[in-house]
Amino acid sequence: MKGSSALLLVALTLLSICGLTRAEDNNEFFMEFLQTLLVGTPEELYAPEGPLGKYNVNDMAKSALTELKSCIDGLQPVHKEQLVKLLVQVLDAQEDT
């Protein structure tokens, strides 16, 4: 519960800070961000093609995101698998709309 709350808080903060205004952009950013946190590496978050690539993320925020990624990676495999399944379900639902 603690990790998912932190994930939501970080994601919402980033959405606010980045100033994304359109709902489509928000959804796309959020889903790419979550996908990278679940199955990517911290470096992929900041890569030019990554969800945060076009933003100037300070060192403290990078440190916090790296720690969050570490927490996610430390989840039991069955819990991480369920988060990935949920992400796939949401992505599939978005494609249907």
Side-chain angles (χ1 to χ4, degrees):
M1 181 63 104
K2 195 182 228 182
S4 62
S5 296
L7 174 63
L8 181 59
L9 178 61
V10 169
L12 291 175
T13 301
L14 285 171
L15 287 175
S16 298
I17 290 171
C18 294
L20 299 174
T21 56
R22 293 183 20 205
E24 292 173 14
D25 290 342
N26 287 343
N27 288 339
E28 184 178 324
F29 171 83
F30 186 70
M31 296 311 295
E32 184 180 356
F33 179 74
L34 284 177
Q35 181 176 0
T36 305
L37 279 174
L38 286 172
V39 296
T41 66
E43 293 77 23
E44 289 175 314
L45 287 169
Y46 319 110
E49 65 280 353
L52 300 175
K54 63 182 179 179
Y55 303 103
N56 182 18
V57 181
N58 68 42
D59 289 339
M60 289 298 286
K62 285 182 180 180
S63 178
L65 288 167
T66 298
E67 188 170 336
L68 178 61
K69 174 65 175 144
S70 177
C71 290
I72 291 169
D73 289 345
L75 290 173
Q76 293 182 16
V78 68
H79 293 151
K80 192 169 180 181
E81 177 184 343
Q82 291 304 310
L83 288 174
V84 170
K85 284 182 179 180
L86 178 61
L87 179 62
V88 168
Q89 183 180 12
V90 170
L91 289 171
D92 287 345
Q94 284 185 340
E95 287 178 8
D96 292 341
T97 58

